[in-house]
Amino acid sequence: MNQRIKVEKTVTINKPAEELYRFWHNFENLPSFTKHIKDVKVYNDKQSHWITSAPLGKSVEWDANIVEDRENQLISWTSVEGADIANSGSVHFKPALNDRGTEVKVVTEYNPPGGLIGDAIAKLFGESPEQQLGDDLHRFKMLMETGEIATTEGQPKGKG
């Protein structure tokens, strides 16, 4: 029942890799565009503490270590032993074709609490990791390209 879930999303952002890498690398910026990350405390250049929201008003916490850091190209991390949810991931910054900004690819892997059943239950509460990551990257793109995140919260939904 303890099967890892892998989620991967890519977005192209009309900004240079250096700027995107620098913003992302300051992990304390991440709650500004990710819906579920509540707080990140950076201990030093390798270690940080993460708090995310979870279904039913709960929180999940862990410490993470950077395992690879290539300036303007890649940041990869893994949670330390004893994390509420064992996880790892990476964010890649690659110049897009024809000088059209930067491709930002995020890959995360984790063991959902309760294995696949826990993942299915989380999805029932609207916590699909694929959707979360896609939404987070869309907000990152808006923030980096326009300096703000446009929201539709509180606005009536259109007919689709």
Side-chain angles (χ1 to χ4, degrees):
M1 295 305 287
N2 205 7
Q3 186 171 344
R4 287 184 74 76
I5 303 290
K6 182 177 181 178
V7 182
E8 187 174 313
K9 291 283 182 184
T10 303
V11 66
T12 301
I13 301 175
N14 192 20
K15 289 285 183 177
E18 299 80 16
E19 185 177 337
L20 301 175
Y21 168 89
R22 196 169 47 252
F23 187 88
W24 192 292
H25 200 284
N26 181 358
F27 299 136
E28 292 170 351
N29 285 332
L30 298 183
S32 69
F33 66 88
T34 58
K35 191 171 183 184
H36 292 82
I37 297 175
K38 291 182 180 178
D39 191 42
V40 180
K41 295 233 183 311
V42 175
Y43 298 136
N44 56 46
D45 62 348
K46 294 279 186 206
Q47 300 173 310
S48 52
H49 182 78
W50 298 70
I51 303 173
T52 65
S53 58
L56 306 173
K58 305 257 188 228
S59 290
V60 176
E61 299 189 31
W62 67 89
D63 285 336
N65 290 331
I66 293 177
V67 292
E68 189 172 0
D69 189 355
R70 291 193 307 245
E71 190 171 4
N72 305 327
Q73 295 177 23
L74 169 73
I75 306 165
S76 65
W77 64 88
T78 188
S79 59
V80 301
E81 196 167 328
D84 287 349
I85 296 178
N87 67 89
S88 62
S90 58
V91 58
H92 306 254
F93 304 90
K94 182 176 126 187
L97 292 176
N98 301 323
D99 209 21
R100 296 188 179 263
T102 303
E103 285 185 7
V104 179
K105 178 169 100 173
V106 178
V107 180
T108 62
E109 290 188 58
Y110 67 97
N111 289 330
L116 291 175
I117 292 171
D119 188 53
I121 291 169
K123 286 179 181 178
L124 289 175
F125 288 97
E127 305 294 324
S128 162
E130 295 88 358
Q131 184 69 44
Q132 282 178 28
L133 184 55
D135 291 349
D136 289 345
L137 280 176
H138 182 69
R139 283 189 294 272
F140 181 54
K141 176 181 174 70
M142 275 194 289
L143 181 62
M144 298 312 296
E145 288 181 350
T146 69
E148 63 185 10
I149 297 173
T151 68
T152 55
E153 289 180 26
Q155 295 178 14
K157 294 193 186 315
K159 294 182 181 176

